[in-house]
Every structure is written in C-alpha cells, then in structure tokens.
Amino acid sequence: MCGIAGILTPSIDLRSEKPLIESISKTLKMRGPDAKGEYVTAQTALIHRRLCVIDVEKGSQPMRFGKYIIVYNGELYNTQQVKAELETFGYKFDTHCDTEVVLKAYDKWQEESVKKLNGIFAYAVYNERDNSLFLARDRIGVKPCFYSKKGDLFAFASRISSLLCIPQIKPIVDIEGLNEIFMLGPAKTIGKAIFKDISELPPAHFLKYKDGKATVLQYWKLEAKENNESLNEAIEHTHELVKNSIERQLVSDVPLATFLSGGLDSSIISKVAADYYKNKGKILNTYSVDYTDNDKFFKKSLFQPNKDSDYISLVSDAIGSIHHNIILDNSSVADALFEATVARCVPGFADVDSSLLLFCREVKKNFTVCLSGECADEIFGGYPWYHRKEILFEECFPWARSTKARRSILKPGFLKNGEEYLQNAYSQTVALTSYLDGESPLEKRMREMFMLNLNWFMQTLLARKDVMSMESSLEVRVPFCDYRLVEYAYNMPWEFKALDGREKGILRKAFENDLPYDIVWRKKSPYPKTHNPLYFDCVCRLAKQAIEDKSCPLYEMLNVSAVYELMKSPDSMTEPWYGQLMQTPQVLAYIYQIYVWMKNYNVVFDI
C-alpha cells in the first residue's frame, strides 16, 4: 500500500514549489515509508510514498508508459488475469507488480479499464500530452481518495491533511460539516470530507479532469438480480467465493499474518490462510488484541455477549497458528486518541480508533501485511438490528435511532436542522436500493438494510481500518469486501442468509466443517473495547480539558453541564451513540477528539 497526491494548476510553476511538494510528501510518509517518488513539471506534480509489498525492487512510482504516468495506492487481486489478457494484445511487462498492470490496462481500455480490476485501490493516471487526469477508486471504498478544486487548481490525495498543506485549500467547516460531526459522526456521508473545500471521491467512481473541469462518474453499483440457487448450491457457492477471495489476498512478497478475534469472520480467514500456508510448508501467524485487566471488568451485554479471550486459543489450536495476543495499556489507549485524530484528519471513532492504531504498531514489528474480517456482518446480516423486528422497519439508521444522546451534549438551539439533515441522509441512501418486482416487504427491507450498512456502518469501519493501519505502515486487506461476494450476498434470499434463524446463518453453515463447533455457532461479538474503569477516568480527564478551553469554538457548541453529568458514571448514557461501539466512555473520547481536531487543524467555522 502507498500514499498518493497530485496537483494540476496553470497559474503556479510547480517546479519552484519544492517545499510545498515536500510537505505534502511528508504527510504521506507513514502510508509509504519505504520509498518516495515525484513527477514535477510546470503545471503538474504527482507525489508517491511506497510501502513495498509486491516486487520490492522494481515497483517504483510514479511509473511511466508512453504518455501516461501513474501514482497508485492499492492491491490488485486479479493481476495475473488482467496481465494475461493484455499480453494477448502484445503488451510486455518489466515487473510483476500490479501498478504496471493497472497502467497498461488504462493505456488499452481507458476509463473502461477500471471495471476489469478486482482489488482495493485509489490511483491517478496523468496524460502529459493533453494535461488531463483520470482518478479512480475501488468499488467498495477500501482505499481513500480526496480531492479539491479551487479556481484553476485541482488537487487529490490519500489524506485530507495532504490537501490542507496547499495554501489555496482552507480548513473551513460550515453547518453541513457540523451536522456531519454531531448528528452522524463518527460516520459521514459518502462524498463528503467535513471540510468545505474538500470532497471525497465516492467508492465505485472515477473522476476525469481536463481544462479546469472535473467530471465524476459511477462505474459500478449494486443491482437486484434473480437468484434461483437451491440452499445447498448457495452454501457451496458461499464457501467457494469466500475461500477464493481469501486465497487471492494471501499473495505477498513480504511477511503476512491475520487478525484473529475468535469470532466467525476472522476465524474463517485464519483457517483458509493457515491451510494455504501449510500447503507451502509454512505456519500462519495470528494476532489478537485485548486490554489490561479486561477479563476482570468485562460486562456482558446484548451487543457483546461474551469475551473474545474465551475463544481465540480454540481457533489457534485448531488451525495450528502461532498466536500473539497484544495487551494494550488503558492509559496508552486514551493517550493515543490525540494521534488517532490527527491521523484521520477528522473526528474519529474514539478508542475503536486509538486501540487499533496501537495494535497495528505492535503487529508491524514483525509483519507488513495482515488480513482482517471487516464487511462480513454488513453483507451477511450479522448485526442485531437485522434481526430485531421491533426496529427493523423504523425509518432511521438502526445503529443511531434517536438523536437524544447527541442533543443532550449540545447547547439548546444549536444545529436546529440536525434531525432533518440526518433524515435526509437516511432517505437518500434508501433511495439507492435496487429491488426485484414482486419482492416481499421483508426482502425489500433487507435490501435497504444492506445499502444502509454498506454505505454507512461499513464505510466507517473501513476508513478506521485504513487510516490506523497505514499510520502504522501496515497493509490490512479485507477479503469479505471482494465485490463479487458483495454482489452475490446482495441477491441472496434472506431465508438463506439468516439460515436457522441465526445472524450470518449461511456463512456459518458454509464453514461448519472447517472450524470448531463453538466457533461456528458463537454469538456475534464486536471489536473488543476496554471495560477497565481506568480508561473512563482517563477520558473524563481529557474531556474536561476539552470543555474547559474557552478559546476553542467547541466551548460555544456544547452543553458543558451535560458533559459533566456524563463524567459521573461510565453507564450514564442510556442510549447508544453509534451502535454497540460507542457508550459513555467513547462519547467522552469523541468530544475530546473533536477538540483535538479543531485545535490541531486550526478549523475555521463558516456558520
């Protein structure tokens, strides 16, 4: 994986802007610590930082072929298939890296080439003859891509902070941005980047820029299609697609491991990877995360019915992996909230972010690539809200059904249109749903839930995984995000998906002979969070710092007395802020992250 950025402008001679180009490159260093490269002319600068994974010696960027120059961030999982097709047209290859394949595919098929790619990516191809740019992002949105157009300047980057290095691009936030933070956060609307001057290239879209005009087009979307498979065929098909996706993503020229929580998704990935390694005479390494004294303070809940630690060794022993359990210090998790916020460039996911950042740093000491289980819950109906009929048909985001908790910390009258903004975001997503004629209300609603989870909950988790792992210079791949699997799951009948009345029922059935019974039929448990009261004390201290700084604009936005009330008990917030992952300690951490973001990026408010 890598970091990319670029500037196109006719009004500045970029050859004389070496300090600017260097400052942008530095913001991308952790995404690519192994090498850097630049292509600079009077009107164009392309910047690349490289984390070497495939063809370490020959895959340097920017890479040129004829009139085209590419900067690429990602991993292609059908490299050999696309390469073989190109070779039938006479193309020859000097490397075995996917960058060269993406570049020559563009030379051959232009914008249609992106449809041939299976992988996670964001890349730009510059045409130096007509001074045009093609910018593309993968179908699911695993790899980030942001851009800004200010007058005759166009810029793009893997990180928001890279764009904020450019003097013309200002850290301005308007009412829309504040609604994103307080009404939707830590989620955000696809296409938005909180800052007024910056946009996100949506997943499954590409952008064409020429002569000062930027055009954004969609190249892929989920469409409802008939699925006439029998149950046994669907079980076999699910197993085949999942296994194939995992095995495709095990290709690496550097050490690779898997994340293992003891849950179904990571256990499937680790099992397939372990078998793959055994066939090559290797032993898989697996990693899990926990917190100091977490067993002592664990609290059972609807969303977290059991501890991961009870199951991890069961899987590791069964698959024969070398397992590493990383124990995080609670104070360190709180302290890392600052760095996690700066890395994300917007208010983040509280300790769900900071703990992953610290975890990835430990893994990076021995490995450069890991596989992780994100996306399975979204596409196979893993979350409780898929199965609770009393909330299933409510016209709202199921993980944030009320704004009561959010309103409680805001000053009365602040963001008066917040609920309308929230409802519009929900409605616009549901409107994207594709149905089949004659489908039952339940099947239609499950398609809507699929779209809501894919475009919101999963995007939040993917952004978190990319930023925190890449801030640690660790590449994390997500096999359940293979678009073929997403398409297939979208068109699977709900009675199959929820086989035996269980969340991810068909996925369990497909792999019941591969894993121990207790793992296959374990109740879903989310990413582990700390239950230690020490962490709550730490975030109370940090939140207190945030709300007592009268020089920060946040002070005028919050109901300070209400925030103090939250500090009285880790259970004081009775409604979830954002699904199962944000309760009172995480909300206090989120308030602190908003404060850090405002101060660190010198945010200016246009309200």
Side-chain angles (χ1 to χ4, degrees):
M1 294 299 168
C2 306
I4 63 172
I7 304 172
L8 278 74
T9 177
S11 58
I12 304 169
D13 188 340
L14 292 168
R15 294 171 298 185
S16 63
E17 295 290 335
K18 188 174 181 179
L20 171 61
I21 292 169
E22 183 61 28
S23 67
I24 293 173
S25 181
K26 283 182 179 178
T27 66
L28 299 167
K29 183 176 181 179
M30 294 307 295
R31 296 190 68 91
D34 298 331
K36 68 174 184 175
E38 289 140 17
Y39 166 88
V40 182
T41 68
Q43 297 186 356
T44 306
L46 299 177
I47 301 162
H48 190 265
R49 300 293 302 227
R50 188 179 182 210
L51 177 66
C52 297
V53 173
I54 301 292
D55 203 345
V56 174
E57 294 183 1
K58 297 182 180 178
S60 298
Q61 297 186 49
M63 184 179 288
R64 174 192 289 273
F65 181 69
K67 62 185 177 183
Y68 297 120
I69 298 142
I70 190 172
V71 283
Y72 170 78
N73 166 34
E75 205 70 58
L76 201 60
Y77 303 129
N78 63 338
T79 299
Q80 295 308 315
Q81 294 95 319
V82 179
K83 183 177 182 179
E85 186 175 357
L86 286 167
E87 285 174 335
T88 65
F89 293 101
Y91 285 88
K92 300 189 182 303
F93 292 85
D94 301 316
T95 74
H96 68 269
C97 70
D98 49 355
T99 306
E100 186 179 9
V101 174
V102 174
L103 176 58
K104 290 180 177 177
Y106 183 79
D107 179 76
K108 174 60 182 175
W109 296 296
Q110 298 294 290
E111 64 190 47
E112 289 296 306
S113 62
V114 71
K115 298 178 182 178
K116 291 182 175 288
L117 310 181
N118 181 340
I120 54 178
F121 51 78
Y123 64 91
V125 180
Y126 175 66
N127 183 336
E128 62 180 2
R129 290 186 190 170
D130 66 5
N131 196 37
S132 65
L133 188 83
F134 177 81
L135 188 64
R137 191 173 178 209
D138 68 75
R139 292 169 179 83
I140 309 300
V142 179
K143 290 287 110 181
C145 187
F146 302 96
Y147 68 94
S148 180
K149 187 179 183 307
K150 295 283 291 183
D152 63 2
L153 180 141
F154 179 83
F156 67 90
S158 299
R159 295 186 66 183
I160 293 170
S161 58
S162 305
L163 295 175
L164 290 174
C165 291
I166 302 169
Q168 294 92 323
I169 301 173
K170 307 295 184 183
I172 299 171
V173 174
D174 58 14
I175 288 291
E176 187 175 271
L178 286 171
N179 274 318
E180 292 280 323
I181 292 167
F182 288 110
M183 292 292 124
L184 294 168
K188 67 173 185 63
T189 304
I190 285 178
K192 300 187 186 300
I194 310 300
F195 293 102
K196 188 177 178 181
D197 284 358
I198 301 173
S199 298
E200 175 191 52
L201 182 63
H205 284 68
F206 60 78
L207 180 152
K208 297 189 293 185
Y209 182 78
K210 185 178 180 182
D211 298 330
K213 182 181 179 181
T215 304
V216 178
L217 297 168
Q218 187 171 10
Y219 67 86
W220 176 85
K221 64 180 179 179
L222 281 174
E223 295 182 354
K225 297 178 181 178
E226 291 281 356
N227 182 331
N228 296 314
E229 290 180 327
S230 68
L231 176 58
N232 287 336
E233 288 171 335
I235 292 169
E236 184 177 340
H237 197 169
T238 298
H239 189 281
E240 176 190 343
L241 272 176
V242 171
K243 186 172 183 286
N244 178 264
S245 177
I246 295 167
E247 289 181 342
R248 281 184 179 217
Q249 300 190 25
L250 291 170
V251 177
S252 174
D253 291 342
V254 295
L256 179 149
T258 66
F259 291 170
L260 176 61
S261 70
L264 178 69
D265 314 329
S266 65
S267 297
I268 290 172
I269 291 172
S270 297
K271 166 62 175 172
V272 174
D275 288 350
Y276 182 90
Y277 268 37
K278 283 176 187 175
N279 290 334
K280 294 181 176 294
K282 299 179 181 180
I283 299 176
L284 178 72
N285 281 259
T286 52
Y287 280 82
S288 61
V289 63
D290 209 341
Y291 307 84
T292 304
D293 292 332
N294 221 29
D295 282 352
K296 180 179 176 181
F297 297 105
F298 176 78
K299 295 178 182 179
K300 183 177 179 180
S301 70
L302 171 67
F303 293 114
Q304 197 152 10
N306 42 50
K307 305 189 299 291
D308 286 343
S309 56
D310 296 338
Y311 295 87
I312 291 168
S313 61
L314 184 61
V315 182
S316 180
D317 290 345
I319 67 175
S321 72
I322 300 171
H323 188 70
H324 314 262
N325 187 31
I326 306 300
I327 306 295
L328 300 180
D329 174 75
N330 289 278
S331 297
S332 298
V333 173
D335 291 342
L337 288 166
F338 180 94
E339 196 171 355
T341 308
V342 174
R344 200 188 258 261
C345 312
V346 294
F349 214 161
D351 54 76
V352 184
D353 276 3
S354 62
S355 61
L356 182 63
L357 176 62
L358 298 179
F359 176 52
C360 287
R361 282 190 178 153
E362 290 300 313
V363 178
K364 174 61 181 178
K365 291 177 180 178
N366 296 296
F367 291 89
T368 301
V369 180
C370 277
L371 269 61
S372 182
E374 275 80 2
C375 193
D377 288 306
E378 286 80 4
I379 69 173
F380 285 112
Y383 294 120
W385 46 75
Y386 277 98
H387 304 271
R388 296 178 63 185
K389 291 184 179 179
E390 71 273 19
I391 67 172
L392 180 60
F393 286 92
E394 289 184 353
E395 294 291 326
C396 62
F397 291 113
W399 50 84
R401 295 157 58 209
S402 167
T403 58
K404 182 179 178 181
R406 296 169 184 271
R407 280 290 178 201
S408 70
I409 69 163
L410 297 177
K411 279 193 173 178
F414 184 60
L415 299 180
K416 293 179 181 179
N417 70 334
E419 281 73 15
E420 180 184 354
Y421 189 89
L422 180 67
Q423 196 60 33
N424 284 340
Y426 166 84
S427 299
Q428 288 168 12
T429 306
V430 170
L432 299 173
T433 310
S434 173
Y435 313 97
L436 289 177
D437 292 338
E439 286 187 315
S440 70
L442 178 62
E443 289 291 347
K444 286 185 175 181
R445 183 55 178 168
M446 286 307 178
R447 288 192 187 275
E448 293 171 354
M449 289 289 283
F450 195 108
M451 295 300 293
L452 289 167
N453 280 271
L454 192 73
N455 285 286
W456 288 92
F457 208 83
M458 195 180 82
Q459 289 299 315
T460 307
L461 294 176
L462 289 177
R464 165 239 186 197
K465 179 58 61 72
D466 174 82
V467 173
M468 299 308 136
S469 61
M470 294 307 295
E471 187 67 13
S472 310
S473 302
L474 178 72
E475 175 185 319
V476 177
R477 300 173 181 175
V478 279
F480 284 103
C481 287
D482 188 309
Y483 79 92
R484 301 169 303 155
L485 190 55
V486 174
E487 288 177 336
Y488 179 66
Y490 183 67
N491 288 298
M492 182 184 293
W494 177 247
E495 63 176 333
F496 287 7
K497 201 176 294 185
L499 188 63
D500 297 326
R502 289 298 305 273
E503 71 281 1
K504 296 182 286 192
I506 195 164
L507 188 61
R508 296 176 190 277
K509 191 69 175 176
F511 285 89
E512 68 175 350
N513 295 322
D514 296 81
L515 293 166
Y517 178 91
D518 288 347
I519 299 301
V520 172
W521 300 106
R522 178 191 176 191
K523 190 74 175 174
K524 179 198 161 40
S525 191
Y527 176 83
K529 64 183 179 182
T530 179
H531 299 273
N532 195 317
L534 174 61
Y535 177 75
F536 181 68
D537 293 341
C538 290
V539 294
C540 284
R541 171 178 50 82
L542 294 173
K544 190 171 184 289
Q545 175 189 342
I547 63 176
E548 291 185 352
D549 185 350
K550 295 182 180 180
S551 69
C552 181
L554 182 62
Y555 183 81
E556 296 300 325
M557 300 174 186
L558 295 181
N559 181 342
V560 173
S561 62
V563 178
Y564 275 117
E565 285 295 312
L566 289 181
M567 296 180 194
K568 291 182 177 180
S569 167
D571 301 314
S572 55
M573 184 165 282
T574 57
E575 289 192 5
W577 178 282
Y578 193 75
Q580 72 272 36
L581 296 173
M582 290 187 72
Q583 302 294 332
T584 305
Q586 288 72 36
V587 172
L588 291 171
Y590 186 62
I591 291 169
Y592 172 69
Q593 287 192 302
I594 297 172
Y595 170 74
V596 169
W597 168 71
M598 288 182 180
K599 298 282 281 189
N600 190 77
Y601 287 102
N602 299 310
V603 178
V604 177
F605 292 96
D606 180 16
I607 55 176

